Amino acid sequence: MDASQNAIGASGGNGIVSNQANDAAAVAADEAKQNLNQVINSIQKTLVLLHQLYLTISSFNVASQLPLLQRLNSLVMELDNMAKLSEKCDIQVPMEVLNLIDDGKNPDEFTRDVINNCIAKNQVTKGKTDAFKSLRKHLLEELEQAFPDEIEAYREIRASSAAESKRLPQSQSMLPNGDVKVKSEL
């Protein structure tokens, strides 16, 4: 079970999510960002060390042997640190992105393709939704001709249901992400 399921289970399953679960999720998100920033800083430090190592090797002489060994040791220690820090991060990079990078292409192509595919799927879904709306309208027109009394009762039920749906959110508070926070009745 994740944190939100634990919170719902602890509250009796009536949909009341405790602030503790929200706080725990916020702390986990902040911790993940901090871990990621540490890995990014370690990568940048490693790049600096590699550049220093390159400069030392390109102008190598006997007198620069000790600085070379020190920089190699620093690089090994930073790579070890980076490996330890990366264990705390759970970042999943799609294989397609890695393949694009290996092919010398821009990984933004993957993002563009994903967005274009989402737009295409969204258009297909919108078309299906519009088709169902049209079908519903047509069926209601046909049913109204055949069963006018039943359709009138159906519309009254739908109207009362819609009014109830509008009253429900007023008793709840909306969170910034669009979720509904149910007020506890203690």
Side-chain angles (χ1 to χ4, degrees):
M1 265 201 241
D2 65 11
S4 64
Q5 290 172 331
N6 286 335
I8 290 172
S11 67
N14 61 1
I16 299 173
V17 178
S18 69
N19 286 337
Q20 292 174 347
N22 291 338
D23 292 344
V27 168
D30 289 342
E31 193 173 301
K33 287 180 184 177
Q34 184 179 8
N35 290 339
L36 181 60
N37 286 335
Q38 288 176 342
V39 170
I40 290 170
N41 290 337
S42 179
I43 290 171
Q44 291 172 343
K45 189 173 180 181
T46 300
L47 291 173
V48 168
L49 289 170
L50 285 169
H51 180 69
Q52 290 174 349
L53 191 60
Y54 168 76
L55 294 175
T56 304
I57 291 172
S58 64
S59 62
F60 183 75
N61 59 34
V62 176
S64 62
Q65 185 172 1
L66 184 60
L68 175 65
L69 292 175
Q70 290 172 338
R71 289 189 173 138
L72 279 172
N73 285 334
S74 296
L75 178 63
V76 169
M77 288 190 313
E78 191 56 40
L79 288 171
D80 184 49
N81 182 41
M82 185 190 316
K84 289 177 184 173
L85 289 173
S86 67
E87 291 173 358
K88 297 178 186 176
C89 291
D90 183 28
I91 299 173
Q92 298 177 0
V93 179
M95 282 303 295
E96 293 91 350
V97 172
L98 297 177
N99 291 337
L100 283 173
I101 293 170
D102 285 344
D103 293 341
K105 296 179 181 175
N106 188 343
D108 289 341
E109 290 178 20
F110 175 76
T111 305
R112 185 191 66 229
D113 291 343
V114 168
I115 289 173
N116 287 339
N117 287 338
C118 287
I119 290 170
K121 287 180 181 179
N122 186 32
Q123 289 172 343
V124 168
T125 303
K126 185 180 182 319
K128 289 178 182 180
T129 303
D130 291 344
F132 277 113
K133 285 179 183 178
S134 175
L135 175 64
R136 181 180 179 275
K137 181 181 175 186
H138 180 71
L139 285 175
L140 279 175
E141 289 171 356
E142 293 291 323
L143 287 171
E144 188 170 27
Q145 290 176 1
F147 306 105
D149 295 336
E150 288 80 3
I151 294 299
E152 185 62 33
Y154 168 76
R155 288 195 171 133
E156 289 174 9
I157 292 169
R158 290 281 302 201
S160 66
S161 175
E164 180 64 31
S165 295
K166 287 182 180 179
R167 275 187 257 135
L168 183 62
Q170 293 172 354
S171 66
Q172 301 169 340
S173 60
M174 297 294 282
L175 297 174
N177 64 356
D179 290 344
V180 176
K181 179 179 175 184
V182 179
K183 295 179 183 177
S184 61
E185 298 177 26
L186 298 175

